[in-house]
């Protein structure tokens, strides 16, 4: 049976869907057959991040209407034979996601529920940006998930700009995790190629480290200030100061 994990955005646009998809790819690379239940019923952003928008025949909405079986709406990620996405585009009753999770749990090692089927998940991840404006929402989101029955709630600090952390302009991911009182599961750097559906090797490494932490194989998180240390870091900082 799959481990079913709820992925929550601390506040809108924190990167929950992006993290769910790339985490699925990282888990897949570690041999875990992983499904992302794309909870975006209006735009199918998970499908879009997978590069599969418009290529699906069915969505969960078709299964809801009895036009297909749940598993027929599951699509394989083009970059991995172990990563899959299930779009919910057009779904009328969000509770049907619970049926989908129950069916899919038999077929996968990990199911990441992006913003849906919270009731099916005993484990959850809050995805938050590291800014002070996200502190209250990340804290509240974590507390609500625990109140709702999630026993294990971890934090991914996403979109971290190492230069700003180095300069002390934003909290470090460790400080942020301590302020919102959630265990730090992963740190994902700011990567401006992500909205273009590309990914830097360093960001890929950050997702790999997060996947290892999720599976309990490591406690290390990606270090975002590392590129700003040493001689190259000195020039990088000087360059930033001029830009
Ligand atoms: N680490 C990152 N670096 C740079 N941009 C990022 C990063 N993570 C996500 N983004 C960008 O932020 C935007 C919002 O991401 P995403 O859709 O994953 O957020 P979300 O939390 O799922 O949003 P929503 O609350 O609407 O569901 C997207 O344009 C995405 O490409
Ligand atoms: Mg989303």
């Amino acid at each position: 049976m799959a481990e079913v994990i709820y992925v929550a955005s601390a506040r809108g646009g924190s990167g929950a869907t992006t993290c769910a998809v790339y985490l699925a790819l990282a888990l897949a690379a570690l041999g875990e057959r992983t499904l992302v239940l794309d909870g975006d019923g209006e735009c199918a952003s998970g499908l879009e991040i997978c590069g599969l928008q418009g290529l699906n025949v069915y969505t969960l909405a078709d299964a809801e209407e009895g036009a297909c079986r749940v598993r027929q709406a599951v699509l394989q990620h083009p970059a991995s034979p172990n990563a899959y996405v299930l779009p919910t585009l057009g779904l009328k009753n969000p509770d049907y996601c619970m049926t989908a999770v129950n069916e899919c749990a038999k077929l996968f090692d990990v199911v990441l529920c992006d913003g849906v089927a919270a009731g099916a998940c005993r484990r959850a991840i809050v995805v938050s940006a590291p800014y002070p404006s996200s502190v209250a929402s990340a804290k509240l989101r974590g507390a609500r998930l625990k109140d709702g029955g999630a026993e294990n709630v971890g934090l991914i600090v996403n979109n971290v700009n190492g230069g700003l952390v180095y300069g002390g302009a934003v909290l470090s991911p460790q400080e942020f995790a301590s302020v919102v009182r959630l265990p730090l599961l992963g740190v994902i750097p700011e990567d401006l190629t992500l909205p273009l559906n590309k990914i830097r090797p360093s960001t890929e490494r950050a997702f790999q480290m997060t996947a290892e932490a999720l599976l309990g194989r490591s406690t290390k998180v990606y270090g975002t200030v590392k590129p700003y240390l040493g001689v190259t870091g000195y020039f990088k900082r000087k360059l930033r100061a001029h830009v």
Side-chain angles (χ1 to χ4, degrees):
M1 284 297 265
E3 173 143 44
V4 185
I5 305 170
Y6 184 69
V7 183
S9 206
R11 54 190 297 177
S14 302
T17 308
T18 305
C19 286
V21 170
Y22 284 102
L23 194 54
L25 281 172
L27 287 164
L30 292 172
E32 305 291 319
R33 219 172 125 80
T34 306
L35 174 74
V36 175
L37 180 55
D38 172 16
D40 189 344
E42 288 178 6
C43 306
S45 54
L47 207 60
E48 191 181 339
I49 294 168
C50 291
L52 287 166
Q53 203 174 36
L55 296 177
N56 60 306
V57 176
Y58 297 120
T59 79
L60 194 58
D62 296 296
E64 184 187 29
E65 286 173 7
C68 70
R69 289 187 297 156
V70 170
R71 63 184 70 183
Q72 285 179 289
V74 172
L75 286 98
Q76 191 184 51
H77 194 292
S80 169
N82 256 349
Y84 296 81
V85 61
L86 173 55
T88 61
L89 194 68
L91 193 72
K92 291 191 184 82
N93 178 9
D95 290 344
Y96 190 70
C97 290
M98 299 287 278
T99 312
V101 169
N102 288 336
E103 187 159 324
C104 292
K106 295 173 228 150
L107 308 170
F108 295 91
D109 299 315
V110 182
V111 176
L112 299 174
C113 299
D114 175 20
V116 280
C121 311
R122 296 226 311 267
R123 196 168 177 190
I125 300 172
V126 175
V127 177
S128 178
Y131 307 117
S133 56
S134 298
V135 167
S137 40
K139 213 173 181 175
L140 188 68
R141 187 62 98 148
R144 287 218 172 125
L145 285 165
K146 284 179 195 163
D147 290 348
E151 290 159 10
N152 179 342
V153 184
L155 174 74
I156 292 180
V157 183
N158 181 39
N159 224 335
V160 182
N161 181 312
L164 294 181
V165 174
Y166 185 87
V170 296
L171 294 173
S172 72
Q174 287 75 7
E175 287 165 338
F176 189 88
S178 135
V179 173
V180 304
R181 298 197 196 107
L182 289 174
L184 187 60
L185 194 65
V187 175
I188 308 299
E190 178 187 59
D191 179 349
L192 298 178
T193 64
L194 270 176
L196 306 171
N197 274 359
K198 291 181 186 164
I199 185 167
R200 287 197 196 121
S202 53
T203 312
E204 197 172 1
R205 176 78 194 119
F207 279 112
Q208 269 165 14
M209 292 175 85
T210 309
E212 279 162 19
L214 190 77
L215 297 174
R217 296 182 190 171
S218 159
T219 52
K220 285 188 190 156
V221 294
Y222 181 80
T224 48
V225 294
K226 220 172 166 188
Y228 293 87
L229 304 174
V231 182
T232 24
Y234 172 80
F235 287 110
K236 215 177 243 181
R237 291 197 308 273
K238 285 278 166 210
L239 197 66
R240 275 188 72 94
H242 286 286
V243 177

